[in-house]
Amino acid sequence: MLERLAPDAYLPSILDLDLETLKARGIDGLILDLDNTVVPYGHPLPSDEVAAHLKALLAGGVRAVILSNARSGRAAEVAAALGLPYIANAGKPGLRGFARALSVTGTDAARTAVVGDQLFRDVLGARRAGCHAILVHPLSPRDFPGTKLLRWPEALLVRYFKRIGRWPGQTCPF
């Protein structure tokens, strides 16, 4: 069961996603978490650097969607700024939101990576949906209160995965 919480890759930031590496790995779809992945928690818009990076990935043929547990208005605002479709109130790690995201991107799970900052929502949801799981370091120390409660058990799991050699480390195949 714990193996379902181990990411395939760990990156310091969404900015470290590399188009050539994604393509070489057969990844042509991205399901992107919103808060602390694309934008810092509580910020209304992504940075210019994140917007430009995602635009370059899209121009390279990657299809992407934002999948968030956030309310529709917030997700819609960020998605519009990035020119991406979105699914709000996703209920991650439940499968319904991930199935809808795969439908929106038109990619199958084996060719799709979920990128997010949480083991219990993003990585577990990716695993349940059959997608690759890429964990990124949160953009901000601020979190939704429910997420803040999960950070402590996440830290314990990361230590455990490192101890048993199941943590991908800073260098990443993605």
Side-chain angles (χ1 to χ4, degrees), residues 12-32:
S13 163
I14 196 168
L15 297 172
D16 295 296
L17 286 172
D18 177 69
L19 177 63
E20 291 174 15
T21 306
L22 288 171
K23 291 292 189 176
R25 300 276 301 192
I27 306 284
D28 54 14
L30 293 175
I31 298 173
L32 305 170

Side-chain angles (χ1 to χ4, degrees), residues 101-153:
L102 289 168
S103 177
V104 168
T105 61
T107 58
D108 65 25
R111 298 183 59 83
T112 303
V114 176
V115 183
D117 68 302
Q118 297 178 55
L119 293 178
F120 292 110
R121 292 194 176 108
D122 304 313
V123 172
L124 180 59
R127 292 277 184 241
R128 294 182 72 218
C131 299
H132 299 274
I134 302 174
L135 185 72
V136 295
H137 188 77
L139 289 173
S140 168
R142 288 188 60 224
D143 266 319
F144 177 75
T147 303
K148 204 172 218 28
L149 291 173
L150 294 175
R151 293 296 184 191
W152 183 76

